[in-house]
Amino acid sequence: MATSIFLDLSGDRPAENTADSEDFRLVEALRGGDEQAYEELLTRFQQPVYALALRLLDDPAGASDVVQEVFLKVFRSIARFRGQSTLKTWIYRITVNEAHNARRWFFRHRRREVDLDSKPDDTRDWKENIPDESRTPFDQAFGSEQRLMVEAALEKINPIFREAVVLRDISDLSYEEIAEILGVSLGTVKSRILRGREALREKLAGSLEPRPALRLVPQNGRVML
Amino acid sequence: MSCEYVQERISPLLDQRLAPGERETVLAHIESCRTCSAHYESMQSLRAALRGVTAPPIPADLRQKLRVVASHEHARRVSRLTLEARLDHWTGRMRLVFDNIMRPFGLPAASGLVSAVLLFALLAPSLSFARRGGADDPSGVATDAQLTAVNAAGDGPEIEDPDSFETNYEAVLELKITPDGKVWNWSVMQGSLTSELKNMILFSRFQPATYFGRPTWGRVTIYYRHSFTYIVRG
């Protein structure tokens, strides 16, 4: 049996996982109390951190709480950032840890809570409001449906595998970055991604066929799928 | 090479995490095996679907809350940068704490004081103080009415030490003295009003009581004993 050798051959990601000069500049500005740096940090990271928290928790209110907690921790412990990882990896690691804590807390306390703020009109999930940039109504319908299915399947798989798949395929991080964020070995990352994808493939069996093309047949003017 | 072995490597293959030699072997197997080829295609579709998932929009209220958090943390950081900033910060905090403690008491206390002053100012003109017993007034702002002469000849009264007063008086009179030093009224508190006493009231002269140097109404109590002894209390 051949041994798998892990190499980063993609070329589209930097091989090094340490902070670059841009990270250090931002961190120094934060330590120096530069107001613009606080704004810049939010601009750079609030969207990806929220997206990651939401994928890990699937609870918009919980994700919002996690994101606030993450940035509070980032601002307060920025003095302890040594640059041994990139700023992004460091912040993502905090996000994953906070999401773990929130999930544990959720299962202990909030499962039985009823959201009194929800109105009948608000019952639609945020996923149903995702802006879609597909070009045609057909594309839009097909894309939205497929995304909804993927999102639904993601919720159903083991959270441990889910976070690895989310970090790899949605947050687009390298195996090394994921290993650092999750605090596990590269082999474990590979295994979790593999098992997560397999679980998703099983959940989505039959719905991941190649996208049908919309063809116009000029002879009889019928639309064929 | 088994299908199971190949299918386990499809995921790292898609991520370009296989060594070049192994990659070629796995790809060759996929080309020749329909099952593994279908597996590969479905995994590719899954990966494409996952990458096509768009980022959920961050809620506007969360954006606002994060700005508030950043603002608080910035203020906190700035307040700890230098010793002077720390001192300023703590001084401000202490002032705020003091302010918060005193604010609930400040308004009631001030309004109570103002109300008391206003009330006193309103009532003071209507207050009149009848002067009695000036001897025990240490301030000297008020003096008692005094009997200066007990007859037409101008003889003064005999004053006894109040501690040695006896009780066997023939009569005790209380006279009300006008600011002019005249007798306005009298009342007999003990004994009876004899003609001798009437003469005494008629011919006696009085120095009126004063209040802040101005003559005012006063009272004089006269203890009368035979042998013309007048003991006077203001």
Side-chain angles (χ1 to χ4, degrees):
Chain A
M1 182 173 163
T3 307
S4 298
I5 302 167
F6 287 89
L7 296 169
D8 193 343
L9 302 172
S10 60
D12 56 349
R13 296 186 193 94
E16 70 273 10
N17 285 319
T18 54
D20 58 15
S21 58
E22 183 63 18
D23 283 351
F24 277 121
R25 181 197 61 75
L26 183 56
V27 169
E28 280 309 311
L30 286 167
R31 286 173 181 162
D34 180 1
E35 198 168 3
Q36 283 298 112
Y38 283 78
E39 188 70 32
E40 187 184 337
L41 188 88
L42 283 184
T43 308
R44 265 178 70 181
F45 291 108
Q46 64 184 1
Q47 179 63 53
V49 165
Y50 176 71
L52 178 60
L54 192 57
R55 306 263 182 244
L56 298 181
L57 292 174
D58 198 49
D59 170 27
S64 291
D65 292 344
V66 163
V67 173
Q68 288 180 72
E69 199 61 36
V70 167
F71 279 100
L72 193 64
K73 286 200 170 171
V74 168
F75 289 137
R76 291 203 172 172
S77 50
I78 197 72
R80 293 199 292 275
F81 178 75
R82 298 275 171 254
Q84 289 162 345
S85 61
T86 63
L87 194 56
K88 181 171 82 169
T89 314
W90 186 64
I91 293 175
Y92 277 29
R93 186 163 60 223
I94 296 174
T95 308
V96 168
N97 289 339
E98 284 301 316
H100 280 174
N101 294 341
R103 201 185 300 128
R104 273 198 296 271
W105 190 87
F106 179 83
F107 278 109
R108 279 189 207 142
H109 301 97
R110 285 187 65 183
R111 263 190 309 182
R112 292 172 193 166
E113 278 185 13
V114 177
D115 188 3
L116 295 176
D117 292 335
S118 60
K119 302 183 208 68
D121 292 339
D122 291 343
T123 51
R124 289 196 310 165
D125 198 86
W126 61 268
K127 297 184 205 84
E128 297 173 57
N129 297 318
I130 295 172
D132 197 324
E133 294 170 4
S134 302
R135 284 171 297 175
T136 66
F138 173 78
D139 284 341
Q140 193 172 8
F142 185 83
S144 296
E145 191 182 352
Q146 195 176 47
R147 270 192 286 276
L148 286 174
M149 284 191 297
V150 170
E151 294 282 355
L154 265 175
E155 288 171 28
K156 289 175 188 163
I157 66 172
N158 187 324
I160 299 291
F161 303 148
R162 188 204 307 172
E163 64 191 15
V165 172
V166 165
L167 289 169
R168 174 68 194 130
D169 289 330
I170 298 180
S171 299
D172 200 25
L173 299 179
S174 69
Y175 278 43
E176 286 78 9
E177 286 173 321
I178 297 170
E180 202 173 311
I181 289 168
L182 300 180
V184 294
S185 68
L186 277 174
T188 308
V189 170
K190 176 203 162 195
S191 163
R192 286 184 184 178
I193 291 172
L194 171 65
R195 293 172 73 177
R197 281 175 177 166
E198 285 295 344
L200 276 177
R201 205 176 64 84
E202 282 174 23
K203 300 276 182 206
L204 295 168
S207 55
L208 285 174
E209 303 302 324
R211 183 169 134 186
L214 180 67
R215 288 177 296 156
L216 291 175
V217 182
Q219 285 83 358
N220 52 17
R222 282 165 43 197
V223 176
M224 296 182 68
L225 297 179
Chain B
M1 183 180 288
S2 70
C3 288
E4 189 186 351
Y5 174 84
V6 170
Q7 284 170 14
E8 275 186 9
R9 273 147 188 82
I10 287 175
S11 176
L13 173 70
L14 290 171
D15 289 333
Q16 302 187 35
R17 303 289 299 189
L18 286 185
E22 192 176 19
R23 181 171 177 269
E24 302 310 320
T25 314
V26 170
L27 279 174
H29 179 92
I30 290 170
E31 287 279 325
S32 60
C33 175
R34 287 190 67 183
T35 313
C36 291
S37 175
H39 193 107
Y40 179 76
E41 279 183 12
S42 65
M43 198 63 99
Q44 261 188 327
S45 299
L46 170 69
R47 196 159 173 268
L50 284 168
R51 286 180 178 252
V53 170
T54 48
I58 185 165
D61 66 325
L62 176 60
R63 231 176 252 276
Q64 203 61 34
K65 284 176 185 172
L66 290 177
R67 290 178 71 91
V68 172
V69 168
S71 175
H72 281 178
E73 291 306 309
H74 171 255
R76 188 169 173 269
R77 170 77 58 187
V78 168
S79 73
R80 293 169 181 217
L81 281 178
T82 61
L83 184 64
E84 191 182 351
R86 275 171 191 255
L87 279 174
D88 277 352
H89 174 68
W90 281 106
T91 310
R93 279 190 70 122
M94 295 302 289
R95 194 176 294 129
L96 182 68
V97 169
F98 182 74
D99 229 33
N100 286 344
I101 291 171
M102 293 312 290
R103 201 174 288 273
F105 299 107
L107 183 64
S111 54
L113 185 67
V114 169
S115 305
V117 168
L118 283 175
L119 198 63
F120 184 76
L122 284 172
L123 291 178
S126 65
L127 294 176
S128 64
F129 302 98
R131 293 303 312 148
R132 300 173 70 93
D136 52 0
D137 181 0
S139 63
V141 296
T143 58
D144 288 325
Q146 286 180 358
L147 180 62
T148 54
V150 294
N151 51 31
D155 298 331
E158 180 184 338
I159 307 297
E160 286 189 3
D161 183 4
D163 292 339
S164 66
F165 279 0
E166 297 176 11
T167 53
N168 54 340
Y169 303 113
E170 290 177 23
V172 177
L173 298 177
E174 188 180 67
L175 309 179
K176 191 168 184 182
I177 311 301
T178 66
D180 301 333
K182 306 275 175 52
V183 176
W184 176 262
N185 200 0
W186 70 85
S187 60
V188 181
M189 299 172 73
Q190 185 184 325
S192 58
L193 191 63
T194 60
S195 57
E196 190 178 358
L197 278 173
K198 282 181 184 173
N199 285 337
M200 189 271 288
I201 292 169
L202 196 60
F203 293 109
S204 290
R205 289 198 293 272
F206 296 90
Q207 184 180 340
T210 61
Y211 186 60
F212 284 102
R214 298 181 62 187
T216 183
W217 290 83
R219 286 176 190 280
V220 171
T221 308
I222 296 175
Y223 296 81
Y224 173 73
R225 199 164 54 212
H226 192 63
S227 76
F228 297 94
T229 300
Y230 303 94
I231 305 159
V232 180
R233 282 182 179 175

